[in-house]
Amino acid sequence: MTDEVLDTEVLGKWIGDRIGSRSTTVEIDGRPSGGFSAETLLITARDAENARSRFVVRLETPEPPVYPTQSDLAMPEIEIQYRIMDALRRDGTVPIAELLGYESDDRILGTPFFVMHHVEGVVPIESPPYSAEGFFTEMLPAQRTSLISGGLYEMARLHSLPLDSIDLGWLVPAGVTPGSTHLLNLWKSFGDTELRGRSHPLLASAWELIAAELPSNETTGLCWGDPRPGNIIWNGATPACLTDFEAACIGPPEFDLGWWLMFDRTMHELAGLDRLAGDPTRDEQRSLYFQHAKRPEIDTASHELFAAARYCVIVVRVMNRLEQRGLLPADSMVWRDNPASECLSMILNERG
């Protein structure tokens, strides 16, 4: 979608109806880069008295979802994200942006969308890594420690939420026992489908190890799905808002922790960057998480490996979508030869 085809007058009326303003105009301020699950627009809305409010619009893209389906309910990825954010916002335990509303009628803007209030703050960049450039590098060592610890604290708080109190049981398909076994089967099947018969030796090796090592009888709860510093809006070293829940699922907390720790590798070891003073090591981050969760510390190696395998699957899926858009030649090997595979190779090589 482009600014030329987005009907800002219609969007202004939609927003105006929800904020109680009969004459609301909308201007598009920006379009953050990155992400394939939805398109994001930053907008400014002005009412008849010229009072200014900032919002974020998330629009569904036409391609199939980036992540495997977690629920029996058929819905756009942005509706999944909206419903999870709405449940978390109403619960009030973790910081979530104030939501204005969700629109399923694609006749309004040509695709389903939702609107939330803009949250002021900064987001760690990932290209180049936040450990090389940006506000994270300008912090004092104690602030960097506080930032990482704060993100792990919010993740632990999210994991502590009782599912029956936040009404997210619909994330579990009928007849399925949630946990690592289900998630492994789901992601392996999704990856096999996306590979379309192509050979990915690293991923094949990883699935064998994961199946042999992944614990299967854990406590389960809500998992964020894509927890990392770049999916948090920060006010200094304090988390102001958690974002991007379209990959959320019901599973063991280590499913998320493994992803956080795996992603940390991509910002440091994989990028060839030393840690800045105060930036906790992965072992220190693991310990911080379990301290916040008030649980005994356990090994997360198999979950980090599972996370790296999921990362590879997501890249294969995204590259398939680029090919479908005509942006990638059909004979390109980037689906296999990419930083996600490098991360998986690094983790596998550590096992000797």
Side-chain angles (χ1 to χ4, degrees):
M1 181 174 291
T2 65
D3 295 353
E4 288 73 25
V5 299
L6 179 68
D7 194 328
T8 55
E9 183 176 345
V10 169
L11 179 58
K13 183 180 184 308
W14 190 93
I15 291 174
D17 289 344
R18 284 152 184 79
I19 63 175
S21 171
R22 293 184 178 180
S23 178
T24 300
T25 60
V26 165
E27 296 177 1
I28 298 175
D29 300 326
R31 190 188 303 271
S33 61
F36 282 82
S37 299
E39 183 175 5
T40 302
L41 300 176
L42 306 178
I43 66 169
T44 295
R46 289 182 171 83
D47 62 18
E49 285 72 40
N50 205 34
R52 174 178 174 273
S53 300
R54 297 195 69 199
F55 297 98
V56 178
V57 183
R58 295 274 282 172
L59 304 118
E60 184 76 359
T61 58
E63 294 94 349
V66 170
Y67 305 101
T69 302
Q70 298 284 348
S71 169
D72 288 331
L73 304 179
M75 66 182 79
E77 278 191 299
I78 58 162
E79 182 177 353
I80 294 172
Q81 181 172 186
Y82 180 84
R83 289 182 63 170
I84 292 169
M85 291 178 67
D86 183 50
L88 294 176
R89 174 78 187 184
R90 285 185 281 109
D91 173 82
T93 299
V94 297
I96 300 293
E98 182 181 353
L99 300 166
L100 192 61
Y102 171 72
E103 182 54 69
S104 61
D105 188 348
D106 59 13
R107 295 171 298 179
I108 304 297
L109 292 181
T111 188
F113 66 94
F114 73 84
V115 179
M116 55 187 168
H117 288 260
H118 182 266
V119 176
E120 293 293 340
V122 292
V123 176
I125 59 175
E126 295 171 1
S127 182
Y130 61 80
S131 52
E133 184 177 317
F135 81 97
F136 188 78
T137 67
E138 300 165 0
M139 287 180 148
L140 297 173
Q143 292 175 312
R144 283 192 279 267
T145 304
S146 179
L147 183 146
I148 297 299
S149 179
L152 291 164
Y153 173 73
E154 295 300 343
M155 184 167 66
R157 289 213 296 172
L158 183 142
H159 293 158
S160 73
L161 298 176
L163 287 179
D164 55 357
S165 71
I166 53 176
D167 190 26
L168 290 177
W170 53 268
L171 280 169
V172 181
V176 165
T177 300
S180 289
T181 299
H182 165 64
L183 290 170
L184 173 57
N185 292 336
L186 179 71
W187 276 92
K188 185 179 184 304
S189 176
F190 185 66
D192 289 346
T193 298
E194 290 303 311
L195 282 172
R196 303 182 305 203
R198 295 170 294 188
S199 175
H200 198 313
L202 279 173
L203 196 50
S205 296
W207 290 136
E208 289 185 8
L209 279 172
I210 296 164
E213 298 179 3
L214 197 65
S216 59
N217 298 313
E218 314 96 329
T219 300
T220 59
L222 177 63
C223 289
W224 186 344
D226 190 9
R228 49 193 166 97
N231 274 341
I232 301 174
I233 299 172
W234 300 89
N235 181 358
T238 301
C241 178
L242 310 187
T243 68
D244 287 0
F245 287 90
E246 56 266 50
C249 64
I250 305 303
E254 293 77 29
F255 181 84
D256 268 351
L257 180 57
W259 183 269
W260 177 286
L261 296 174
M262 180 280 298
F263 190 82
D264 180 82
R265 292 174 180 262
T266 71
M267 297 289 102
H268 297 89
E269 293 99 317
L270 195 63
L273 296 169
D274 293 331
R275 291 182 185 273
L276 300 170
D279 185 1
T281 66
R282 286 199 325 283
D283 286 344
E284 289 169 340
Q285 290 181 57
R286 183 185 302 107
S287 295
L288 283 168
Y289 170 83
F290 284 109
Q291 289 172 23
H292 294 319
K294 296 180 172 58
R295 293 174 48 207
E297 186 171 343
I298 63 172
D299 181 70
T300 56
S302 60
H303 280 282
E304 291 179 54
L305 179 61
F306 187 19
R310 299 199 307 273
Y311 186 19
C312 283
V313 169
I314 290 168
V315 171
V316 172
R317 173 64 150 172
V318 169
M319 293 306 109
N320 287 347
R321 287 177 60 161
L322 289 179
E323 181 186 327
Q324 292 165 2
R325 291 181 185 182
L327 300 175
L328 196 66
D331 61 355
S332 170
M333 296 299 292
V334 70
W335 58 269
R336 189 194 66 190
D337 304 329
N338 55 64
S341 291
E342 292 173 15
C343 183
L344 179 58
S345 177
M346 179 174 62
I347 294 176
L348 286 170
N349 287 339
E350 290 175 356
R351 295 166 176 261

